[in-house]
Amino acid sequence: MAEETNGLGLHGTGNSGIMGLSFPAEAAISDTTGRTVVENLFSAFNDTSRRFFAFKLGRDQTSSSFTIGELDPTFANATDDMTYNSVFASGGALYDYWKLPLQSLTVNGTSFGLSKSRIDGAPAPIAVLDTGTTLVLGPSQDVARFWASVGDARKTDRGWEVLCNRAVVVGMVLGEGAAQKEYTVDPADISWKEGSVDDVWCLGGVQSNDGVYSADWLLGDTFLRNVYVTHHAANDTQPPKIGLRGLTDPSAALAAFIADRGADSGSPAQVRSQADHTNSLTGGDICGIATASGFVAGAVILVLVFTLTGYRRKY
């Protein structure tokens, strides 16, 4: 729990503080000081199935929801309404943030591949669900290709901008195996009107950031407004998990967007589906290259030694 903040504008929004609900490994509270907020909240429930918190981010000051130990029936009536995936953690590492594999995106129904993950042991690019981030942030080469696929976008000093009436339906394919599912993002979250400077160019809801070290992508508010999310503690039989339920209907969202912004007169862009993997090296890749290079260098040195030795013996 933060007791003091600076430069966050909390006073102007009527908020009085920040509550962090990530795993203990990332908490500012040391193990010797006490338990984290989320550990204390969960400890109130003897029934381990109730050790979860859930939220829905609203589009205004009154439509958000946050509950502990129970679902908000406005968004889900039972746990069976959710799709669950285990939280990702690198092999042997502690859980730190609420992470899921992000398999791909879709742009107007066409699959959009992503660059290889930089996280060791990751089956796919890894995304953190982060209410503290306003936009969706990802690797610059993927984001540049994404906006080329959307069309009518430009890179400026403040980031990627897109024409405010550019109508595009984007999906995020999250999870693994049978629990892998696509979650639709409202077009209004891709062409972010709140970030408009002239009602012609809007700030893009997806931006570049190559400085994300805990994962490959951060899925901030422009994604999270489209889903209902539950976060479950580990128990004796299963690891921590995340439940998701998509709340955005693509057809209805697109119709509402066009009614608000006007018709999109631009030509459809060609979706650049194939990711460029040429510059995507994980830590494991680098170690492998270093090991192989060391082996080759060692072999070359041995050959030189034997060659020089033979040369001296001959003469």
Side-chain angles (χ1 to χ4, degrees):
M1 185 80 74
E3 296 181 350
E4 181 179 348
T5 62
N6 293 303
L8 297 181
L10 294 177
H11 177 73
T13 62
N15 299 311
S16 57
I18 298 172
M19 183 167 65
L21 295 174
S22 60
F23 291 89
E26 289 300 318
I29 301 172
S30 67
D31 293 339
T32 57
T33 302
R35 293 188 296 188
T36 63
V37 174
V38 71
E39 288 176 310
N40 277 304
L41 291 174
F42 288 161
S43 68
F45 299 103
N46 292 324
D47 180 357
T48 58
S49 68
R50 297 190 63 191
R51 292 182 179 177
F52 70 89
F53 64 90
F55 67 78
K56 166 66 175 72
L57 296 187
R59 297 184 181 276
D60 53 46
Q61 295 292 324
T62 61
S63 59
S64 295
S65 171
F66 178 77
T67 57
I68 302 168
E70 62 182 20
L71 298 173
D72 185 334
T74 305
F75 306 110
N77 292 315
T79 54
D80 290 344
D81 292 338
M82 315 295 292
T83 299
Y84 296 98
N85 278 277
S86 297
V87 175
F88 173 81
S90 297
L94 296 173
Y95 292 102
D96 48 11
Y97 299 102
W98 297 94
K99 301 177 181 179
L100 287 176
L102 176 61
Q103 302 290 347
S104 63
L105 276 58
T106 62
V107 179
N108 290 329
T110 300
S111 180
F112 179 91
L114 302 176
S115 300
K116 188 177 180 181
S117 177
R118 298 178 294 107
I119 308 301
D120 288 342
I126 300 301
V128 174
L129 306 186
D130 185 12
T131 58
T133 299
T134 302
L135 307 174
V136 171
L137 304 180
S140 57
Q141 65 177 9
D142 283 345
V143 172
R145 188 166 50 87
F146 169 80
W147 285 114
S149 300
V150 170
D152 286 339
R154 66 184 186 183
K155 182 72 177 293
T156 70
D157 291 341
R158 69 180 191 136
W160 284 96
E161 295 179 338
V162 62
L163 288 179
C164 291
N165 67 343
R166 189 57 164 169
V168 59
V169 177
V170 173
M172 304 278 182
V173 182
L174 289 158
E176 290 188 277
Q180 181 176 313
K181 191 171 182 179
E182 179 181 353
Y183 300 91
T184 300
V185 180
D186 194 306
D189 290 316
I190 299 301
S191 176
W192 202 48
K193 197 172 184 178
E194 293 92 327
S196 170
V197 292
D198 54 11
D199 290 331
V200 176
W201 290 97
C202 286
L203 187 66
V206 179
Q207 295 291 336
S208 304
N209 190 332
D210 292 320
V212 178
Y213 299 108
S214 58
D216 302 291
W217 290 77
L218 293 182
L219 302 187
D221 301 348
T222 49
F223 168 74
L224 293 171
R225 283 198 287 249
N226 297 277
V227 292
Y228 186 51
V229 193
T230 59
H231 305 69
H232 300 256
N235 58 36
D236 293 337
T237 61
Q238 63 184 19
K241 62 183 181 180
I242 295 171
L244 284 170
R245 187 183 191 197
L247 299 176
T248 298
D249 177 82
S251 298
L254 183 60
F257 179 87
I258 294 172
D260 178 58
R261 306 285 184 92
D264 181 358
S265 58
S267 300
Q270 181 177 359
V271 177
R272 298 173 58 185
S273 301
Q274 192 66 34
D276 179 9
H277 295 293
T278 56
N279 295 320
S280 301
L281 295 179
T282 65
D285 293 333
I286 294 170
C287 289
I289 292 171
T291 301
S293 299
F295 175 81
V296 172
V300 170
I301 291 170
L302 285 173
V303 169
L304 287 173
V305 168
F306 283 122
T307 301
L308 290 173
T309 302
Y311 179 85
R312 289 171 183 154
R313 287 176 180 172
K314 186 174 180 179
Y315 293 93

